[in-house]
């Protein structure tokens, strides 16, 4: 634990504040403003005891905070846990401390004065303990969460100190409240001196807290706070949030200081506030896209915070209202009232008179900040800033002096950051306006605009919100803001097609477009749209977006609002009465609709009761109840019988039998068809005759139709069988007895296979139609499957019986409360399997029936799931789909056999891409529709997961089908079988983490299936090769004309290549994951990728090579895997081998390639080189980890190689030495070299020192190598060349000879880098004269040529005359002889 004395002493000894000289005066005043205490002994005084108690509480909490590991441990987030740890500090600092001071004074009023007690507590607890510890933690804490908690504490303390009874309580200004509480002295009120003193102490405490707050935020805004880019982004984001919260309180305090003529006090806080603003703006505009590293989400979070801070800057550095505007008095008063409620700050709140802090300077910053906000909205990011603007701004900032005559002005540093960004957008805006014919239109060729960074959906939305808010809060910006949003609405992100753009996906583009339209509509509703005259462009933008009606209503509302504002009291009163009447009208109309609904429901219930027969009648269970029901319903019998199908009326009297039949059949007997002999009294349709006796004495009965033909009799028999079957089938779902249900299922299953060709009755025809639909819509829709369903309609009806809603199952089926999947499907499949086992010749055709029946069952399940996905709001379809999919694993588990085709059908359950798209919220969807779509997506993903589990179970439990199941799972993971991205990820995890790890057989099947998928992907790449080549040529031609050709080879060049690349990417990723576990199969993927025409395949492999290399090096060791892959690779696969080696080397700045990897690359180079010629490509990946002396020995080999290899080697040598690019490092111990890599400056020096004759290198190649470096001005810029030439010239003065190409390089530098002319003329050439360059004939000739080139350059102050004048007389004469004036 931390000792409290050590903690306090350490803070005072090593105060992290960087500007002590700026803050000492106020801190000393706040700490020493109290009077002297009496001679009471501190060890025995009550005040000391109270202070010790408070200090022990605070130190205990701070000790716990300091020792906290920075990880959550109590089931809550780390931020909540740290807040709870620091909560006692807040309580003691803001409330318990002042209360203790008041208690000590109340107990000992004659010994301790109230103000003395309050000042003593504040000084010891807050000024000397809490604030320094929090500042130190916020500036130097290495755990980001603890640093964020310290920053947040300043905001919390500011709010708690402002509470009643605390140090910044506003009541302390005018009364005895605040930390002093109610004064118990006999004096009434306070004297003027006491009042002024309390006001001064409150101001000093507020100043101390605000300055500590600002100083805590500034270090977190500087790049490089943490070495980890992720932690650095997190710290910067917290710093920006802290700066956003501190800005307005600081500005209000500065305004108060200026108002009280305390210019120095205002400036002491203003300067760090300006540095804080500079830090935030620097993180936004000077860092660029992804320069900090980290994930896209972290970069976007930082940019979003910076954009929000930029909005606050514009709000504070601008005026509230325009003078002289229409309705200005009312608008201004209302805005002022709103601003006071929102704790706003504007330039009107800043008093004039300060020599430095002026409204004009701050207003300039606000205007440029608003221009940058407009640029972010219009361009979707920050336009690339012209380097000339940056140089001008930097020069202006460095040349501007402050009010004391030294240093830079606090405003110029901010303007140097934000002004170039604003001017860049203003130039683009001006060019766009000039190119347009209409004043409202805006023509931008976005392909020519380069951006430093792009906005994501979150940061883009914040920028739009900022523009909209500033338009309504600051009328000064309303017209420009409206024009900005309207132009972006007319030229929205994504163009006409709405495709993805920058960091915005297609869904994000849709959201941004909707946001832009809603913002334009909001501004159009505002009265400023009418008063400023910008309603025209807003209406035009909304009309182009198809929102004509909304725009018209919004414009009408704004005009009506302006008229009411201008009108008198009578007009406003009439408007209020109208709204009141309109509300009452709506209320009465709603009540009337409710009464009508209630009456309709009552009428329906009465009608059901009155009908008696038909709907509403429940059949009694006993005969006595049936007789009673018959007697009660005699009066409801119709006077006439219903018409029958035949022309002849059946003459059957209305008897008691007819009445009983009508009741018991629920009215069905009243419409009996005369031709249906199998209904009641069916014996009238045929006669029975006794035949002859059989041998066993039995007598045969002969049936003969009386009224119908034999063909009709057979047809009617099938109809009778169909109806009987339907009754049996429907009884299985309505019977409550499990035994009866089981018996009905057995009968239905057996009868379904026996009654072939019998069409289903109307009661179950929907089930048969569903089965046919499942075959037609599913992936199994073959002629054989359709033929099977038609030949066995009752079988298909049984299979699909549980897949239709209850209302479609007929009368008996509708009685079931819940249609659960019964054993009917199982029994039907078992019957089919038994038939397939028959060895009789005539039954050979039935051997395929089981497979077809199983496919039909799985297809029915898939169709039920597809129906649920198509209609997300249909609860019944979703219930059926969930029930069918949940029973599928059990059904396949107990099935006698599983077929490959059925497994493919199971895999089709993963195709839920359409339902996933529907779950994306759109502006046209209601909340209910969006919720239903999201629920449907969740249910579909659950069903797809069930399908994957089915494949897993089959792979583990059925050896014969293991290959098919694994092949299906691999196909889903590889993207060949359609599936959504989350399901593909689950399939990949299933294959790699579950199936592959099961046993060696499963692992072999996985590799076999993945190889098959990779082969298919390779064939796709080869088949589309010619088409891709042609498309790339067309795209390349277009880009060359536009001047925007892409140099990145891994990016697809055309849409055709992008499509094929996406199709082959997933098989490659899957196979690479297997390569990590089985390195020997890397040979397979490299061989396939190097086939003729498989360029897209090779591109996909190279794009994912970093993942493979990283994972393989972690599992097997970088050196070992490098040697193993090199041994497997042939000469044709060399490019992929080089890519693999290149990605094996660590990519971080601090992690260098290991010596084992370096040795392995040297061994690969020796093994694969031809003869004595070394192929330097194999060691390029590790040159950054090689010692510099080794690189100097290998430099001739790099120079001897091709230009691309040579330049690649130079880049890798210096990739981790960017900070030493302009430095030639000296070895700490020349006898034991330790320096690794080679900086850019060292490369130029060592190239010049190269003895090309000794290493057998042609002089032309030696000079060409130096020329290639000079041409690459992105790496070897003017500063690097200057540093190298300067180092060589310095060694020349020490006695070394100049390299052969030295003067040639200087001459080439003069031609290429005009910025170095002055240095060459005034420094380098005189230095060479000092070293007697004329003693070497070749170097002297080069010196004279260079001096002649720079003798008359035309630039003022740039000439080599000074160096020429330093020549000795003889050499000067030689020079003038050769180059006369």
């Amino acid at each position: 634990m931390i000792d409290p004395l050590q903690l306090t002493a350490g803070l005072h000894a090593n105060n992290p504040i960087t500007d002590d000289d700026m803050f000492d005066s106020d801190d000393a005043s706040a700490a020493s403003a109290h009077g002297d205490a009496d001679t009471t002994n501190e060890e025995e005084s009550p005040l000391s005891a109270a202070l010790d108690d408070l200090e022990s509480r605070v130190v205990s909490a701070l000790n716990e905070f300091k020792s906290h590991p920075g990880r959550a441990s109590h089931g809550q987030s780390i931020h909540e846990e740290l807040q709870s740890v620091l909560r006692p500090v807040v309580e003691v600092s803001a409330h318990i401390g002042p209360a203790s001071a008041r208690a000590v004074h109340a107990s000992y009023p004659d010994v301790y004065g109230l103000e003395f007690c309050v000042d003593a507590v504040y000084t010891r607890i807050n000024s000397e303990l809490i604030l320094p510890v929090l500042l130190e933690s916020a500036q130097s804490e290495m755990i980001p969460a603890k640093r964020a908690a310290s920053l947040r504490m300043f905001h919390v303390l500011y709010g708690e100190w402002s509470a009643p009874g605390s140090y910044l309580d506003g009541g302390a200004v005018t009364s005895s409240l605040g930390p002093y509480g109610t004064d118990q002295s006999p004096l009434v009120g306070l004297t003027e001196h006491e009042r002024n003193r309390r006001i001064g102490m409150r101001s000093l405490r507020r100043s101390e807290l605000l300055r500590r707050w600002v100083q805590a935020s500034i270090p977190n805004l500087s790049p490089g706070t943490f070495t980890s880019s992720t932690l650095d982004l997190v710290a910067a984001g917290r710093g920006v949030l802290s700066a956003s919260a501190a800005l307005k309180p600081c500005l209000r305090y500065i305004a108060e200081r200026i108002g009280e003529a305390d210019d120095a006090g205002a400036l002491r806080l203003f300067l760090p506030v300006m540095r804080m603003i500079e830090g935030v703006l620097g993180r936004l505009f000077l860092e660029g896209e992804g320069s900090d590293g980290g994930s896209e989400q972290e970069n976007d979070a930082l940019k979003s915070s910076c954009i929000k801070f930029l909005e606050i800057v514009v709000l504070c550095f601008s005026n509230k209202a325009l003078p002289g505007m229409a309705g200005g008095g009312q608008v201004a008063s209302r805005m002022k009232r709103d601003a006071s409620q929102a704790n706003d700050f504007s330039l009107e709140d800043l008093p004039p008179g300060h020599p430095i802090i002026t409204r004009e300077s701050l207003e300039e910053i606000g205007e440029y900040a608003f221009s940058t906000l407009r640029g972010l909205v219009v361009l979707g990011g920050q336009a690339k800033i012209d380097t000339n603007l940056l140089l001008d701004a930097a020069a202006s900032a460095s040349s501007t002096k402050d009010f004391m005559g030294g240093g830079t002005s606090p405003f110029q540093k901010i303007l140097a950051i934000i002004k170039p960004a604003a001017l860049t957008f203003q130039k683009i805006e001006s060019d766009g306006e000039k190119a347009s014919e209409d004043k409202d239109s805006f023509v931008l060729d976005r392909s020519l605009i380069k951006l430093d960074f792009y906005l994501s959906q979150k940061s883009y939305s914040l920028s739009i919100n900022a523009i909209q808010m500033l338009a309504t809060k600051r009328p000064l910006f309303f017209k420009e803001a409206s024009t900005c949003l309207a132009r972006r609405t007319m030229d929205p992100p994504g163009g006409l097609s709405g495709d993805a753009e920058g960091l915005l996906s297609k869904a994000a583009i849709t959201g941004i477009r909707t946001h832009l339209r809603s913002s334009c509509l909001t501004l159009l509703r505002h009265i400023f749209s009418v008063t400023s005259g910008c309603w025209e462009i807003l209406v035009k933008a909304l009309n182009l977006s198809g929102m004509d009606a909304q725009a018209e209503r919004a414009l009408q509302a704004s005009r009506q609002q302006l008229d009411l504002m201008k009108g008198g009291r009578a007009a406003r009163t009439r408007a209020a009465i109208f709204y009141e009447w309109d509300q009452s009208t709506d209320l009465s109309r709603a009540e009337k609709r409710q009464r009508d609904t209630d009456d309709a429901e009552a009428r329906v219930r009465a009608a059901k009761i009155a009908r008696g027969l038909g709907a509403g009648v429940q059949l009694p269970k006993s005969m006595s109840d049936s007789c009673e029901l018959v007697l009660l319903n005699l009066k409801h019998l119709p006077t006439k019988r219903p018409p029958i199908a035949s022309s002849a009326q059946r003459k059957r009297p209305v008897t008691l039998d007819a009445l009983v039949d009508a009741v018991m059949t629920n009215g069905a007997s009243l419409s009996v068809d005369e031709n249906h002999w199998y209904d009641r009294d069916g014996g009238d349709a045929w006669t029975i005759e006794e035949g002859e006796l059989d041998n066993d004495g039995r007598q045969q009965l002969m049936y003969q139709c009386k009224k119908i033909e034999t063909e009709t009799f057979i047809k009617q028999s099938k109809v009778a069988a169909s109806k009987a079957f339907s009754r049996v089938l429907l009884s299985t779902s309505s019977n409550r007895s499990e035994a009866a249900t089981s018996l009905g299922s057995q009968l239905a299953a057996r009868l379904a296979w026996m009654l072939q060709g019998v069409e289903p009755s109307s009661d179950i025809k929907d089930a048969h139609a569903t089965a046919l639909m499942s075959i037609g819509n599913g992936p199994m829709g073959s002629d054989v499957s359709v033929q099977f369903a038609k030949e066995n309609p009752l079988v298909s009806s049984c299979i699909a019986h549980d897949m239709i809603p209850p209302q479609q199952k007929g009368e008996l089926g509708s009685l079931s409360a819940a249609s659960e999947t019964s054993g009917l499907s199982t029994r039907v499949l078992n019957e089919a399997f038994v038939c397939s086992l028959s060895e009789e010749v005539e039954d050979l055709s039935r051997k395929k029936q089981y497979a077809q029946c199983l496919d039909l069952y799985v297809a029915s399940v898939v169709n039920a799931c597809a129906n649920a996905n198509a209609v997300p709001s249909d609860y019944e379809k979703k219930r059926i789909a969930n029930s069918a999919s949940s029973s599928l694993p059990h059904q396949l588990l107990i099935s006698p056999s599983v077929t490959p085709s059925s497994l493919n059908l199971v895999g089709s359950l993963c195709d839920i891409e359409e339902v996933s798209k529907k779950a994306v919220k759109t502006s046209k969807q209601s909340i209910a529709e969006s919720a239903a779509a999201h629920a449907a997506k969740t249910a579909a993903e659950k069903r797809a997961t069930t399908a994957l589990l089915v494949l897993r179970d089959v792979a583990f439990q059925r050896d014969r089908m293991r290959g098919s199941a694994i092949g299906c799972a691999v196909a889903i993971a590889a993207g060949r079988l359609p599936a959504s991205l989350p399901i593909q990820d689950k399939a990949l995890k299933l294959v790699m983490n579950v199936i592959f790890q099961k046993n060696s057989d499963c692992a072999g099947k996985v590799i076999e299936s993945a190889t098959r998928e990779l082969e298919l992907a390779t064939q796709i790449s080869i088949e589309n090769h010619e088409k891709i080549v042609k498309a790339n040529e067309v795209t390349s031609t277009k880009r060359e004309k536009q001047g925007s050709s892409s140099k990145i080879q891994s990016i697809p060049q055309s849409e055709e290549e992008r499509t094929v690349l996406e199709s082959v990417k997933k098989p490659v990723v899957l196979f690479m994951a297997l390569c990590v576990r089985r390195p020997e199969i890397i040979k397979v993927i490299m061989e396939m990728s190097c086939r003729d025409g498989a360029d897209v395949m090779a591109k996909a492999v190279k794009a994912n090579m970093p993942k493979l290399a990283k994972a393989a090096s972690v599992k097997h060791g970088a050196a070992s895997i490098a040697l193993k892959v090199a041994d497997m690779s042939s000469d044709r696969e060399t490019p992929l081998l080089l890519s693999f080696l290149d990605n094996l080397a660590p990519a971080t700045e601090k992690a260098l390639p290991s010596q084992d990897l370096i040795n392995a690359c040297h061994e690969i180079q020796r093994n694969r080189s031809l003869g004595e010629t070394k192929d330097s490509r194999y060691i390029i990946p590790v040159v950054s980890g090689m010692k510099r002396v080794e690189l100097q020995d290998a430099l001739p080999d790099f120079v001897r190689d091709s230009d691309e290899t040579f330049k690649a080697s130079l880049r890798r040598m210096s990739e981790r030495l960017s900070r030493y690019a302009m430095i030639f490092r000296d070895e700490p111990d020349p006898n034991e070299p330790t320096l690794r890599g080679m900086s850019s400056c060292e490369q130029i020096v060592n190239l010049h020192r190269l003895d090309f004759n000794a290493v057998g290198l042609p002089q032309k190649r030696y000079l060409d190598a130096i020329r290639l470096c000079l041409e690459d001005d992105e790496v070897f810029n003017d500063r690097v060349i200057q540093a190298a030439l300067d180092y060589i010239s310095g060694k020349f003065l020490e006695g070394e000879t100049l390299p052969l190409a030295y003067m040639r390089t200087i001459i080439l530098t003069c031609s290429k880098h005009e910025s170095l002319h002055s240095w060459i003329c005034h420094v380098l050439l005189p230095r060479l004269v000092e070293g007697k360059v004329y003693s070497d004939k070749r170097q002297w000739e080069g010196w004279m040529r260079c001096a002649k080139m720079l003798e008359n350059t035309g630039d003022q102050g740039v000439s080599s005359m000074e160096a020429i004048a330093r020549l000795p007389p003889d050499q000067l004469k030689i020079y003038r002889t050769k180059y006369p004036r």
Side-chain angles (χ1 to χ4, degrees), residues 751-825:
L751 290 173
W753 286 104
M754 292 175 61
L755 300 174
Q756 288 189 351
V758 175
E759 295 295 330
S761 65
S762 59
D763 296 332
I764 60 173
K765 64 180 181 180
D766 291 330
H768 180 57
T770 301
L772 293 177
M773 186 183 303
S774 302
I775 299 173
N777 296 339
M780 59 163 290
S782 62
D783 296 338
V784 177
S785 301
V786 175
Q787 185 66 24
F788 169 77
K790 291 182 178 180
E791 291 178 356
N792 302 275
L794 298 183
V795 173
S796 61
S797 301
C798 291
I799 293 295
H801 177 66
D802 294 316
M803 313 299 175
I804 59 175
Q807 60 269 22
Q808 299 180 16
K809 293 185 179 181
E811 297 173 358
L812 293 175
S814 62
L815 298 177
S816 176
S819 176
E820 300 294 340
T821 302
S822 64
L824 181 60
S825 300

Side-chain angles (χ1 to χ4, degrees), residues 247-256 258 311-322 332 335-336 338-340 342-352 357-360 362-363 366 470 473-477:
L247 184 58
K248 287 184 180 180
C250 291
L251 291 176
R252 281 193 294 273
Y253 177 79
I254 292 170
E256 292 178 7
I258 296 175
E311 171 192 337
I312 299 174
V313 170
V314 179
L315 197 65
C316 296
F317 293 172
S318 58
N319 296 305
K320 290 181 181 177
L322 285 174
M335 292 183 62
K336 188 173 183 181
D338 296 341
S340 63
N343 206 9
D344 197 4
F345 182 87
S346 66
L347 291 181
E348 286 91 342
D349 300 325
L350 185 69
I357 310 172
T358 61
R359 294 183 179 179
E360 292 76 12
L362 296 179
E363 187 176 12
L470 292 171
K473 296 292 184 181
R474 298 292 184 263
L476 175 69
F477 299 132

Side-chain angles (χ1 to χ4, degrees), residues 951 965-976 987 991 1005-1007 1009-1011 1013 1070:
L951 297 177
I966 293 177
C968 185
V970 170
I972 296 173
R976 181 170 61 84
V991 171
K1005 291 289 194 302
V1006 169
I1007 294 176
S1009 300
T1011 306
E1013 296 295 331
L1070 172 62

Side-chain angles (χ1 to χ4, degrees), residues 139-161:
Q139 288 183 331
S140 59
E141 179 61 57
M142 298 308 296
I143 299 177
K146 296 168 68 175
R147 183 177 289 217
S150 302
L151 284 172
R152 187 180 181 276
M153 275 292 292
F154 287 100
H155 193 187
V156 174
L157 288 178
Y158 186 82
E160 294 293 335
W161 283 15

Side-chain angles (χ1 to χ4, degrees), residues 725-758:
F725 177 82
S726 66
R727 288 193 294 270
V728 173
L729 178 60
L730 294 176
S731 66
T732 60
S733 58
S734 61
N735 203 313
R736 297 181 181 180
S737 173
E738 294 184 1
T741 301
S742 177
L743 177 60
S745 299
Q746 294 180 26
L747 291 175
R750 181 64 60 86
L751 290 173
W753 286 104
M754 292 175 61
L755 300 174
Q756 288 189 351
V758 175

Side-chain angles (χ1 to χ4, degrees), residues 1034-1076:
V1034 174
T1035 305
S1036 177
T1037 304
K1038 291 181 180 179
R1039 289 180 176 175
E1040 288 178 358
K1041 292 181 180 179
Q1042 298 174 355
S1044 58
S1045 58
S1046 175
K1047 298 180 180 180
I1048 304 177
Q1049 298 297 327
S1050 60
I1051 297 178
Q1053 304 298 315
S1054 62
E1055 192 63 31
E1056 289 79 1
E1057 186 178 11
R1058 184 189 306 276
T1059 302
V1060 178
L1061 186 62
E1062 287 296 325
S1063 63
V1064 304
K1065 177 182 177 181
K1066 292 174 183 176
V1068 168
V1069 172
L1070 172 62
F1071 200 85
M1072 283 186 169
L1074 294 172
C1075 291
V1076 176

Side-chain angles (χ1 to χ4, degrees), residues 94-115:
H95 306 295
I96 300 177
S100 300
R102 293 193 294 268
V104 171
H105 165 70
S107 301
Y108 305 94
D110 298 333
V111 180
Y112 300 106
L114 176 60
E115 295 188 359

